[in-house]
Amino acid sequence: MNSTKTINLQSRPSGQPKLADFDFSTSEVPELGQGELLLGTKYVSVDPYLRGRMSDAPSYVPPFELNKPNKSGIVAEVLESKNDAFSTGDFVVGELDWKEKQVVKGAGLMKVDPNQAALSAYLGILGMTGLTAYHGMMEIGKPKAEETLVVSGAAGAVGSVVGQIGKILGLHVVGIAGTDEKLEMLKSEFGFDEGINYKTTKNMTEAIAKACPNGVDIYFDNVGGEISDAVLFNINKFSRTINCGAISVYNNTEAPKSISVQPFLVKKSSLMQGFIVTDYANKNKEAIQQLSAWLKQEKLHYTETIKEGFDQIPQAFLDLFEGKNKGKMIVKL
Amino acid sequence: MNSTKTINLQSRPSGQPKLADFDFSTSEVPELGQGELLLGTKYVSVDPYLRGRMSDAPSYVPPFELNKPNKSGIVAEVLESKNDAFSTGDFVVGELDWKEKQVVKGAGLMKVDPNQAALSAYLGILGMTGLTAYHGMMEIGKPKAEETLVVSGAAGAVGSVVGQIGKILGLHVVGIAGTDEKLEMLKSEFGFDEGINYKTTKNMTEAIAKACPNGVDIYFDNVGGEISDAVLFNINKFSRTINCGAISVYNNTEAPKSISVQPFLVKKSSLMQGFIVTDYANKNKEAIQQLSAWLKQEKLHYTETIKEGFDQIPQAFLDLFEGKNKGKMIVKL
């Protein structure tokens, strides 16, 4: 019989997660029922947001269950199929259990093409990271050539894709990040026009004004807080702010205060719109087509750190919090 | 020869405007050139926002010039025309000089139909007031039956129309205002479902939660500040906030602080959009058709205070600041 290893969530991490929060078990893979698939895991994504799902604080997604398999984005190969929608040899991506092999019904899985891009890309640039950047820019930002785009958290996985999309579409792109090294990378590797170090800049409002001589048309906001206040003073009429995250204020215990946005929005006929990537799931297919085309044309670049072996998944996850990855962290089986 | 009286802006008001800020002159009406019209003023709108244009502080509209005619929304009759687009006997509305008669080129004027509604309505419910409410609701609010609408500044000219549009479209409508008398009027005259007195309510967040058992889908915001903070805690996924005004913070000298909106927008995939009525001028025609139809069907109600005589215009304007009007204040010639 077929057997598989599984990684379960043993305890909810308190503070920094540790190896002991996970345990390994081995079990037999069940027989396929009608409509089911047997999947063999190929690439596993480990991401900081998983930390949130390991806790049981209220959120917009349910927490992982204790003593059940942990999950994340996974690219798998169809090893056997009793489902008409999938054939043996297909590759799929979706949120799946941390198992070497698993039997599923196929709901929520998307087929991916290994000839269109490297399979691991479907966990990053062609996965949640790339889709978040693309949908936010296209559905909310609605960029027009020559406009000015400011990205906060610009050196993050999403931010660096946002800036590249801006450059591909002919915008003036300004990134905000916390070290000169990151800013240098944004300019040399990803083509950003200007960078602002929010940790060493005294007057952010003036720095943004200087980097954006024509004002700010699109602000892709990953951080909120004082950085976003400074952007507000520089927005143009009909500007769009994409509220992707507000990491600077997530850990506050009371609702934090910022500059009142309302007078700015009224005066500038300006828009702010929050979203999560699943809001636009119906447009994932066209998004992936466009992102893959840009990848093939070498207009879009990404970096990833790949670890090998199923047993390495928990350590790869822990390494994220030590900053041991460069770009997307992935485990290959 | 034809002569006309004109009311000029004599001095920029300091604090409360006074009669001495205006002066009257008499001049001859010039001969019509090719493409020009002679207009006879019928109804003059006086509005609080004119106060802003009498000062020369920076704004999104240029200030009125000193020793030049003051202006406002006016309905006039075409007395003579050398412009193919207009005929003698037509009625038009537009921003015009405070003159009994004037010669213009016709740019920016819209013909209005006295059989569709009372001419004075084109200065209020079918003018800027009604269009602001309509465009804000339709273009940004995008209301769906059964949704919940909260309106701040609900007893104002715009707010009362917003709530009525909400009721016509089948929404649950909650108004926020500053006196019980106003709230009573919103319910009995304009059909609002619930009213909240922000001056006497201790916990606005809880009061809004109670009045909106299904949460808030659309927030038409005329005020900003703490009232809007309280609404934020009650917004639903995919909610829309229409930022029409932020009167509660306009007079602050420094940029005021409020609850950070960004985490709420991210968590709820929620939108905030500022606007001014002219952003949607290309849709005024269909808006006026819809609003007139609702007026004729007696689904939409409005109140106005009408003063008579050209010389009364400055006093009617001053009366606004004493609250001597009920609904829209208009001077009839």
Side-chain angles (χ1 to χ4, degrees), chain A residues 160-233:
Chain A
S160 65
V161 181
V162 167
Q164 291 181 82
I165 293 176
K167 286 314 301 174
I168 291 169
L169 299 176
L171 281 75
H172 178 70
V173 176
V174 177
I176 301 173
T179 71
D180 287 344
E181 193 193 348
K182 287 180 179 175
L183 295 172
E184 187 45 42
M185 174 193 76
L186 292 178
K187 289 198 262 187
S188 62
E189 290 186 34
F190 299 123
F192 282 54
D193 297 295
E194 302 268 356
I196 300 172
N197 183 331
Y198 72 89
K199 285 190 179 158
T200 58
T201 299
K202 272 194 184 155
N203 187 325
M204 282 297 289
T205 303
E206 280 177 17
I208 294 164
K210 200 176 154 208
C212 306
N214 298 321
V216 178
D217 299 298
I218 304 180
Y219 174 41
F220 198 107
D221 186 5
N222 289 301
V223 304
E226 288 178 11
I227 292 173
S228 300
D229 288 352
V231 175
L232 264 187
F233 286 96

Side-chain angles (χ1 to χ4, degrees), chain B residues 125-141:
Chain B
I125 190 86
L126 300 181
M128 213 166 65
T129 308
L131 290 170
T132 298
Y134 186 88
H135 289 319
M137 279 293 282
M138 305 312 271
E139 299 297 324
I140 304 172

Side-chain angles (χ1 to χ4, degrees), chain A residues 136-138 140-145 147-152 162 166 169 171-172 174 212 215-221 231 234-236 238-242 271:
Chain A
M137 279 293 283
M138 305 313 268
I140 303 172
K142 297 187 166 65
K144 291 188 280 288
E147 285 190 327
T148 295
L149 164 69
V150 171
V151 191
S152 62
V162 167
L169 299 176
L171 281 75
H172 178 70
V174 177
C212 306
V216 178
D217 299 298
I218 304 180
Y219 174 41
F220 198 107
D221 186 5
V231 175
N234 290 287
I235 57 171
N236 286 336
F238 299 125
S239 59
R240 292 81 71 195
T241 293
I242 301 137
L271 172 146

